[in-house]
Amino acid sequence: MNAPITASVTVAADPAQVYALITDLPTMASLAEEAHAMRWTKGTSAAPGAVFKGENRNGSKSWTTTCTVTDAVPPSTFAFDVKSAVFPVAHWRYDITPTDGGCTVTESTWDRRAGWFKKIAGLATGVSDRDSANAEHIQATLERLKARAEG
């Protein structure tokens, strides 16, 4: 697996509160850059094996993904694998570490697309440099998460 794209933010909120925000699909869709809707299709909450569908947008481009939860350990870890049709796309992970007065949230993603799939995905999503886009998107998501948790 390639190196992850990752960033962290310190949040002045209880780790359990932050975990609840991250694992609430409507909330995460409102905080994410490209995801605009997420809904459970297998299971009804964050648990290993649960599946959710993501509806994503970038400008005029839109696409759906299927996400399978791989880790759900309240209040410290939430992770999932992303596929488009049957093709692996990415692995996303949120790690929440308690600190004095709150927690540090680290969001990471690993690109799991096959080389041939990257060009097709770039055309479908309007994003040719996924690593740079994800680095910007993670930073924006974490800042929105911080504002929501602290607000």
Side-chain angles (χ1 to χ4, degrees), residues 8 10 32 34 38 47 58-60 62-63 66 69-70 77 80 84 104 108 119-120 123-124 128 130 137 147:
S8 298
T10 300
E34 289 178 328
M38 298 179 195
N58 177 33
S60 64
S62 63
W63 65 99
T66 301
V69 177
T70 58
T77 306
F80 53 92
S84 178
T104 298
S108 306
K119 184 159 182 83
I120 295 167
L123 293 172
S128 57
R130 178 49 65 189
H137 297 171

Short mmCIF file of all heavy atoms in Angstrom, two decimals, residues 8 10 32 34 38 47 58-60 62-63 66 69-70 77 80 84 104 108 119-120 123-124 128 130 137 147:
data_model
loop_
_atom_site.label_atom_id
_atom_site.label_comp_id
_atom_site.label_asym_id
_atom_site.label_seq_id
_atom_site.Cartn_x
_atom_site.Cartn_y
_atom_site.Cartn_z
N SER A 8 -3.82 16.27 10.81
CA SER A 8 -4.41 16.21 12.15
C SER A 8 -4.87 17.59 12.58
O SER A 8 -4.38 18.61 12.08
CB SER A 8 -3.37 15.71 13.16
OG SER A 8 -2.94 14.41 12.85
N THR A 10 -6.30 19.56 16.43
CA THR A 10 -6.62 19.45 17.85
C THR A 10 -8.01 20.05 18.06
O THR A 10 -8.30 21.14 17.57
CB THR A 10 -5.58 20.20 18.70
OG1 THR A 10 -4.30 19.61 18.44
CG2 THR A 10 -5.89 20.09 20.18
N ALA A 32 -17.64 17.02 4.72
CA ALA A 32 -16.70 16.59 3.69
C ALA A 32 -16.74 17.51 2.47
O ALA A 32 -17.71 18.22 2.25
CB ALA A 32 -17.01 15.15 3.27
N GLU A 34 -16.19 16.52 -0.98
CA GLU A 34 -16.85 15.96 -2.15
C GLU A 34 -18.11 15.17 -1.83
O GLU A 34 -19.04 15.15 -2.63
CB GLU A 34 -15.89 15.03 -2.92
CG GLU A 34 -14.79 15.78 -3.62
CD GLU A 34 -13.81 14.88 -4.35
OE1 GLU A 34 -13.56 13.75 -3.89
OE2 GLU A 34 -13.28 15.31 -5.38
N MET A 38 -24.58 10.46 2.38
CA MET A 38 -24.13 9.12 2.76
C MET A 38 -25.30 8.44 3.46
O MET A 38 -25.99 9.08 4.23
CB MET A 38 -22.95 9.18 3.73
CG MET A 38 -21.70 9.82 3.23
SD MET A 38 -20.47 9.80 4.57
CE MET A 38 -19.28 10.95 3.96
N ALA A 47 -20.05 -0.13 12.48
CA ALA A 47 -19.62 -1.42 13.02
C ALA A 47 -18.89 -2.15 11.90
O ALA A 47 -19.27 -2.00 10.72
CB ALA A 47 -20.81 -2.25 13.49
N ASN A 58 -18.13 16.90 -7.58
CA ASN A 58 -17.06 17.86 -7.80
C ASN A 58 -17.49 18.68 -9.00
O ASN A 58 -17.42 18.20 -10.13
CB ASN A 58 -15.73 17.16 -8.06
CG ASN A 58 -14.62 18.15 -8.36
OD1 ASN A 58 -14.61 19.27 -7.85
ND2 ASN A 58 -13.71 17.75 -9.23
N GLY A 59 -17.97 19.89 -8.76
CA GLY A 59 -18.49 20.71 -9.85
C GLY A 59 -19.66 20.01 -10.52
O GLY A 59 -20.60 19.58 -9.85
N SER A 60 -19.57 19.82 -11.82
CA SER A 60 -20.65 19.16 -12.57
C SER A 60 -20.53 17.64 -12.55
O SER A 60 -21.42 16.94 -13.02
CB SER A 60 -20.65 19.65 -14.02
OG SER A 60 -19.45 19.26 -14.66
N SER A 62 -20.47 13.89 -10.86
CA SER A 62 -21.01 13.20 -9.68
C SER A 62 -20.78 11.71 -9.85
O SER A 62 -20.72 11.19 -10.97
CB SER A 62 -22.49 13.51 -9.49
OG SER A 62 -23.24 13.03 -10.59
N TRP A 63 -20.61 11.03 -8.71
CA TRP A 63 -20.35 9.60 -8.72
C TRP A 63 -20.74 9.02 -7.37
O TRP A 63 -20.90 9.74 -6.39
CB TRP A 63 -18.89 9.29 -9.05
CG TRP A 63 -17.90 9.77 -8.03
CD1 TRP A 63 -17.31 9.03 -7.05
CD2 TRP A 63 -17.37 11.10 -7.88
NE1 TRP A 63 -16.46 9.81 -6.30
CE2 TRP A 63 -16.48 11.08 -6.79
CE3 TRP A 63 -17.58 12.30 -8.56
CZ2 TRP A 63 -15.78 12.21 -6.36
CZ3 TRP A 63 -16.88 13.43 -8.12
CH2 TRP A 63 -16.00 13.38 -7.05
N THR A 66 -19.23 2.73 -2.75
CA THR A 66 -19.69 1.81 -1.72
C THR A 66 -18.58 1.67 -0.69
O THR A 66 -17.43 1.38 -1.04
CB THR A 66 -20.03 0.43 -2.32
OG1 THR A 66 -21.04 0.62 -3.32
CG2 THR A 66 -20.53 -0.53 -1.25
N VAL A 69 -17.21 -0.60 6.37
CA VAL A 69 -16.51 -0.27 7.62
C VAL A 69 -15.57 -1.42 7.98
O VAL A 69 -15.97 -2.59 8.01
CB VAL A 69 -17.52 -0.01 8.77
CG1 VAL A 69 -16.79 0.24 10.08
CG2 VAL A 69 -18.44 1.15 8.41
N THR A 70 -14.30 -1.07 8.22
CA THR A 70 -13.29 -2.06 8.60
C THR A 70 -12.96 -1.98 10.09
O THR A 70 -12.59 -2.98 10.69
CB THR A 70 -12.00 -1.87 7.79
OG1 THR A 70 -11.50 -0.54 8.00
CG2 THR A 70 -12.25 -2.10 6.30
N THR A 77 -11.28 4.99 16.90
CA THR A 77 -10.96 4.65 15.51
C THR A 77 -12.21 4.39 14.69
O THR A 77 -13.11 3.68 15.13
CB THR A 77 -10.08 3.38 15.45
OG1 THR A 77 -8.95 3.56 16.29
CG2 THR A 77 -9.62 3.08 14.03
N PHE A 80 -12.78 2.78 6.89
CA PHE A 80 -13.58 2.07 5.90
C PHE A 80 -12.84 1.98 4.57
O PHE A 80 -11.99 2.80 4.25
CB PHE A 80 -14.94 2.75 5.71
CG PHE A 80 -14.89 4.22 5.41
CD1 PHE A 80 -14.85 4.69 4.10
CD2 PHE A 80 -14.88 5.15 6.44
CE1 PHE A 80 -14.81 6.05 3.83
CE2 PHE A 80 -14.84 6.52 6.18
CZ PHE A 80 -14.80 6.96 4.87
N SER A 84 -15.60 1.54 -6.11
CA SER A 84 -16.46 2.04 -7.17
C SER A 84 -16.78 0.82 -8.01
O SER A 84 -15.86 0.20 -8.56
CB SER A 84 -15.74 3.10 -8.00
OG SER A 84 -16.58 3.53 -9.05
N THR A 104 -6.96 14.92 19.65
CA THR A 104 -6.38 15.16 18.34
C THR A 104 -7.03 14.17 17.38
O THR A 104 -7.11 12.97 17.66
CB THR A 104 -4.85 14.95 18.36
OG1 THR A 104 -4.27 15.88 19.26
CG2 THR A 104 -4.25 15.12 16.98
N SER A 108 -6.75 10.07 7.58
CA SER A 108 -5.79 9.54 6.62
C SER A 108 -6.52 8.81 5.51
O SER A 108 -7.59 8.24 5.73
CB SER A 108 -4.83 8.54 7.30
OG SER A 108 -4.21 9.10 8.43
N LYS A 119 -6.79 7.04 -14.42
CA LYS A 119 -7.14 7.96 -15.51
C LYS A 119 -8.65 8.01 -15.70
O LYS A 119 -9.24 9.08 -15.83
CB LYS A 119 -6.45 7.55 -16.81
CG LYS A 119 -6.71 8.53 -17.94
CD LYS A 119 -5.67 8.42 -19.02
CE LYS A 119 -5.89 9.43 -20.11
NZ LYS A 119 -5.35 10.73 -19.83
N ILE A 120 -9.30 6.85 -15.68
CA ILE A 120 -10.76 6.78 -15.79
C ILE A 120 -11.41 7.55 -14.64
O ILE A 120 -12.34 8.33 -14.83
CB ILE A 120 -11.25 5.31 -15.81
CG1 ILE A 120 -10.73 4.62 -17.08
CG2 ILE A 120 -12.75 5.21 -15.70
CD1 ILE A 120 -10.86 3.12 -17.05
N LEU A 123 -11.21 11.30 -15.04
CA LEU A 123 -12.22 11.82 -15.97
C LEU A 123 -13.59 11.84 -15.31
O LEU A 123 -14.35 12.79 -15.46
CB LEU A 123 -12.26 10.96 -17.24
CG LEU A 123 -11.00 11.02 -18.11
CD1 LEU A 123 -11.08 9.98 -19.23
CD2 LEU A 123 -10.81 12.41 -18.70
N ALA A 124 -13.91 10.79 -14.56
CA ALA A 124 -15.24 10.68 -13.93
C ALA A 124 -15.45 11.71 -12.83
O ALA A 124 -16.55 12.21 -12.63
CB ALA A 124 -15.45 9.27 -13.38
N SER A 128 -7.65 15.06 -11.54
CA SER A 128 -6.56 14.25 -12.08
C SER A 128 -5.47 13.99 -11.03
O SER A 128 -4.83 12.95 -11.06
CB SER A 128 -5.95 14.92 -13.31
OG SER A 128 -5.51 16.23 -12.99
N ARG A 130 -5.36 13.22 -7.52
CA ARG A 130 -6.16 12.83 -6.36
C ARG A 130 -5.41 13.07 -5.06
O ARG A 130 -6.00 13.49 -4.06
CB ARG A 130 -6.58 11.36 -6.51
CG ARG A 130 -7.37 10.78 -5.39
CD ARG A 130 -8.55 11.60 -4.92
NE ARG A 130 -9.62 11.76 -5.90
CZ ARG A 130 -10.65 12.59 -5.71
NH1 ARG A 130 -10.77 13.31 -4.61
NH2 ARG A 130 -11.59 12.71 -6.61
N HIS A 137 -8.73 18.42 0.78
CA HIS A 137 -10.05 18.03 1.30
C HIS A 137 -9.97 17.60 2.76
O HIS A 137 -10.86 17.94 3.55
CB HIS A 137 -10.65 16.92 0.45
CG HIS A 137 -10.90 17.34 -0.97
ND1 HIS A 137 -11.26 16.44 -1.93
CD2 HIS A 137 -10.84 18.54 -1.58
CE1 HIS A 137 -11.41 17.08 -3.09
NE2 HIS A 137 -11.16 18.36 -2.89
N ALA A 147 -14.75 22.99 14.03
CA ALA A 147 -15.75 24.05 14.26
C ALA A 147 -17.06 23.46 14.76
O ALA A 147 -17.67 24.01 15.69
CB ALA A 147 -15.96 24.84 12.96
#
